[in-house]
């Protein structure tokens, strides 16, 4: 697919107006207040993975409406001191899978929490373990259209709340330095990480690649690829539902969360991405932190000949180096005694 969105010279300055509801902040304050009334951690159970250099626990924490949400929590074996934590969010249709699938961050010396996606996990990967007991509102089979006509019923209201609660949960786990907690994700996971950055003011860092739910209105006009294509397909059948759907989507718009964020931010995007169009990613990047009165460190990495896969391992390598330098300012040694000499 050739480049189909704005040229890079325009993307650098792309700061579109967005339809932000007047009660955006009140909506999320109320949602998170209700979810935060109980201690987030329900259970922490060690699991045997066959990995000698990694210890893993099966964690259950309270998410939206106190619902139990599953996660894998891993730490480097043999390390006792509190470590910085990376909370990772998975992509659209994927669950947490198996505990040995995602080892990059724990191999880099971080405590790592991988959140399950409620009501997802059946499209690819190795499945999920968190049902969504509230997925009864009108909408199609895909998560992007579940409860689409009312913001209170929308799937992503619940999933974003789970993501915020995942950060609270990891900060209460043994061996975690709560002041050095980062949110990470690609695609849907990137959209969740960006939402967390806008809703958790003391986050240490956020790293997102091709984040979903950014520049939603333009994305619906540009692409028929899923998940946006699922929304378009739903509206092609329910011809009078567009206004209600757009209002619901305005409460989960990634640019709105980005405007309220203040943590250092690392972005990545493929300029031929038809799944999460680059104009939405740049809109979030260019308007990042504009409401907070801060000027956090941020950087963007664009891959002109890549689509939704973005920079893949190249981007992950850049994330690893960037996060280490960001966390150095928050502690004497971001990775404890495991840091190799001369690695700074």
């Amino acid at each position: 697919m050739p480049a189909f969105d704005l040229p890079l010279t325009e993307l650098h300055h792309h700061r579109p107006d967005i339809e932000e509801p007047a009660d955006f902040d009140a909506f999320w304050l109320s949602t998170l207040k209700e979810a935060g009334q109980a201690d987030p951690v329900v259970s922490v159970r060690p699991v045997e993975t066959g990995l000698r250099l990694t210890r893993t626990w099966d964690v259950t924490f309270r998410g939206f409406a106190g619902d139990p949400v599953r996660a894998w929590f891993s730490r480097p074996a043999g390390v006792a001191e509190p470590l910085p934590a990376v909370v990772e969010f998975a992509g659209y249709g994927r669950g947490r899978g198996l505990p040995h699938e995602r080892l990059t961050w724990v191999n880099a010396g971080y405590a790592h929490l991988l959140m399950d996606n409620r009501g997802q996990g059946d499209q690819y990967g190795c499945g999920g373990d968190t049902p969504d007991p509230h997925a009864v509102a009108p909408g199609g089979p895909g998560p992007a259209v579940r409860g689409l006509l009312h913001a209170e019923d929308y799937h992503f209201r619940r999933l974003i709340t789970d993501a915020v609660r995942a950060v609270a949960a990891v900060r209460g786990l043994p061996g975690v330095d709560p002041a050095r907690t980062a949110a990470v994700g690609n695609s849907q996971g990137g959209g969740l990480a960006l939402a967390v950055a806008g809703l958790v003011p003391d986050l240490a860092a956020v790293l997102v690649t091709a984040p979903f739910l950014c520049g939603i209105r333009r994305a619906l006009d540009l692409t028929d690829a899923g998940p946006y294509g699922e929304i378009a397909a739903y509206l092609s059948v329910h011809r009078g539902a567009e206004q209600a759907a757009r209002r619901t989507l305005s409460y989960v718009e990634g640019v709105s969360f980005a405007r309220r964020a203040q943590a250092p931010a690392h972005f990545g995007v493929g300029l031929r991405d038809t799944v999460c169009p680059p104009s939405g990613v740049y809109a979030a990047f260019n308007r990042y932190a504009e409401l907070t009165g801060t000027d956090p460190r941020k950087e963007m990495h664009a891959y002109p000949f890549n689509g939704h896969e973005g920079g893949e391992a190249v981007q992950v390598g850049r994330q690893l180096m960037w996060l280490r330098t960001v966390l150095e300012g928050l502690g004497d040694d971001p990775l404890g005694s495991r840091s190799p000499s001369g690695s700074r």
Side-chain angles (χ1 to χ4, degrees), residues 14-343:
H14 184 57
R15 299 172 60 89
D17 292 331
I18 54 172
E19 295 181 354
E20 187 171 296
D23 64 341
F24 181 91
D25 292 309
F27 175 86
W28 283 108
L29 180 65
S30 173
T31 297
L32 297 179
K33 182 179 180 180
E34 179 182 351
Q37 293 178 353
D39 184 85
V41 178
V42 176
S43 66
V44 183
R45 181 177 61 84
V47 295
E48 178 55 57
T49 64
L51 300 173
R52 295 185 178 182
L53 302 181
T54 301
R55 295 187 63 195
T56 300
W57 292 262
D58 187 348
V59 171
T60 301
F61 67 90
R62 294 182 178 90
F64 176 86
D67 298 335
V69 179
R70 306 286 291 278
W72 297 123
F73 176 64
S74 299
R75 280 177 46 91
V79 180
E81 69 272 10
L83 294 174
V86 170
V87 182
E88 185 176 5
F89 305 108
Y92 188 78
R94 185 176 189 132
R96 67 173 181 165
L98 300 175
H100 57 271
E101 286 187 85
R102 300 196 180 203
L103 300 175
T104 296
W105 295 105
V106 70
N107 277 339
Y110 298 99
H112 177 238
L113 186 83
L114 176 62
M115 186 188 85
D116 204 12
N117 287 324
R118 66 163 63 219
Q120 299 188 31
D122 298 322
Q123 293 189 21
Y124 68 105
C126 291
D129 300 291
T130 303
D132 185 359
H134 308 278
V136 295
V145 290
R146 293 176 189 162
L148 181 61
L149 301 187
H150 300 281
E152 293 78 7
D153 298 330
Y154 194 37
H155 175 80
F156 281 97
R157 178 191 183 213
R158 300 188 291 277
L159 199 59
I160 289 171
T161 303
D162 291 348
V164 171
R165 296 294 285 163
V167 172
V170 80
R171 286 173 161 172
L173 294 176
V176 168
D177 180 352
R180 296 184 290 168
T181 303
V184 176
N186 302 334
S187 193
Q188 175 185 265
L192 294 177
L194 196 58
V196 166
L199 294 169
V200 180
D202 60 346
L203 196 69
V206 59
L207 303 95
V208 302
T209 305
F212 180 46
L213 296 174
C214 292
I216 298 172
R217 173 177 284 275
R218 178 174 169 83
L220 286 171
D221 291 338
L222 279 179
T223 182
D224 285 328
Y228 292 114
E230 296 175 19
I231 298 173
Y234 178 84
L235 294 177
S236 74
V237 175
H238 302 275
R239 295 170 177 82
E242 180 180 353
Q243 183 175 354
R246 289 193 184 278
R247 177 163 177 79
T248 294
L249 292 167
S250 70
Y251 287 95
V252 298
E253 169 59 63
V255 178
S256 293
F257 292 120
R259 298 177 71 212
R260 291 160 171 79
Q262 52 189 328
H266 189 281
F267 281 72
V269 62
L271 298 185
R272 300 178 181 227
D273 189 346
T274 60
V275 177
C276 295
S279 55
V281 184
Y282 272 91
F285 179 80
N286 291 335
R287 302 193 65 176
Y288 190 85
E290 68 179 9
L291 295 182
T292 64
T294 62
D295 186 21
R297 174 179 174 179
K298 66 175 184 176
E299 61 183 61
M300 171 75 81
H301 293 276
Y303 301 91
F305 295 96
N306 289 97
H308 196 54
E309 78 282 3
E312 296 183 301
V314 172
Q315 176 71 357
V316 173
R318 287 171 167 165
Q319 290 178 327
L320 288 166
M321 298 301 294
W322 181 87
L323 183 58
R324 184 184 178 97
T325 63
V326 167
L327 294 180
E328 281 179 355
L330 300 178
D332 293 335
D333 187 337
L335 303 184
S337 61
R338 289 172 57 86
S339 299
S341 61
S343 63

